[in-house]
Amino acid sequence: MSSSVTSSPAVRRAFDWRLRFGLLSLVWGFSFLFMKVGTESFAPFQVTLGRLVFGTAVVAVAMAVKRERLPRGAWTWVHLAVAGFLLNALPFSLFAFSELTIPSSLAGICNATSPLWGMALSLVALSEDRPTRRRVAGLGIGFLGVLTVLGVWQGFHGLDVTGTALALLASLSYPVGWIYVRRTLAGSSHSHLSLTGAQLGLATLQLAVVTPLFTSMPTGFPVVPLLAVAALGTLGTGLAFLIQYDLVAEVGPTTAQMVTYFTPVIATAAGVALLGESLTWSTPVGAVIVLAGAALTQSRPGAAGDTAAEPARRAAEREQATA
């Protein structure tokens, strides 16, 4: 996907990319805590709808400032509707439902399996992604880490299987969406900001239709859960997208995507420190194994010799998924 949006040099000078990288890690790591707090008073669909409303509002403001127009073309909107479902409405809802029964720290660790799912799917769906021994080894190591996190040798004792399965399905939804976007929207002439604004708007409409069908109006709006939902959307979706795109534009997708490996660490620390969630030895050990496997699956021999098209291709995947 091409994009007409450029980063502001003044902003780059004022805030070093490392600071923005750290802020993005914090925002995405705390998103799982925000979801947990939100679901204490609101139904998961309501949390997701609120998240999308606030996130879309942030992107809409950015579009207005940059005078970006919504994309045109019926098929473009159809593809964006599917992308909005796979990359936003579905995974956001699944994570919210999962956190009804599992700790936010475990949900954050499950999110780190997304590169593993992506690698496995790309070997089947994308002919240009050839398997290598390193990447296959990373896939095996990563799923060994998942089994460690789940404590498979204990027969999943004390683990809510349904909640964990929902979180893993949410993580699977992201690479499915990335692959769909690559196949349908990668050659779009519309800017990335324009496409993402439309994608988020369509995801919001999807949740606006579904939520009233399966939930009733909240009897109250407690301040802390309401602020958590607002922060989840404003920071974890809207602002996070803008920061991620700026990082991709400045330091490239390979460096920018490394934030994936810091998010579960922050999610775990936040859950334990602020929510008092319990932590057994297998959770952090398994998380480290998962991240090591994910890193191997993303490694590419001869990365320094990538053509100009390769970073652009990977940027398109990452950028569209960020929203």
Side-chain angles (χ1 to χ4, degrees), residues 12 26 39 57 64 70 89 126 139 157 160 170 173 203 208 212 225 246 257 261 269 273 288 306 315 317:
R12 293 184 186 181
L26 285 172
T39 54
L70 290 172
L126 300 172
L139 187 63
H157 178 70
D160 185 85
S173 181
D246 194 58
Q257 74 183 12
Y261 307 122
V288 170
D306 281 349
E317 285 181 60

Side-chain angles (χ1 to χ4, degrees), residues 102-193:
I102 67 172
S104 63
S105 55
L106 179 56
I109 292 172
C110 288
N111 183 67
T113 64
S114 191
L116 302 177
W117 296 119
M119 187 268 185
L121 289 172
S122 68
L123 296 180
V124 177
L126 300 172
S127 59
E128 66 268 26
D129 281 343
R130 301 297 183 184
T132 64
R133 283 182 292 182
R134 177 183 297 181
R135 299 181 73 191
V136 171
L139 187 63
I141 291 172
F143 283 110
L144 177 62
V146 172
L147 295 177
T148 303
V149 170
L150 301 181
V152 65
W153 61 89
Q154 301 176 8
F156 306 111
H157 178 70
L159 178 74
D160 185 85
V161 177
T162 300
T164 305
L166 290 176
L168 291 173
L169 283 174
S171 302
L172 172 61
S173 181
Y174 288 123
V176 172
W178 297 335
I179 291 173
Y180 181 84
V181 166
R182 280 180 59 176
R183 287 184 173 275
T184 60
L185 293 169
S188 174
S189 60
H190 299 288
S191 75
H192 166 64
L193 186 61

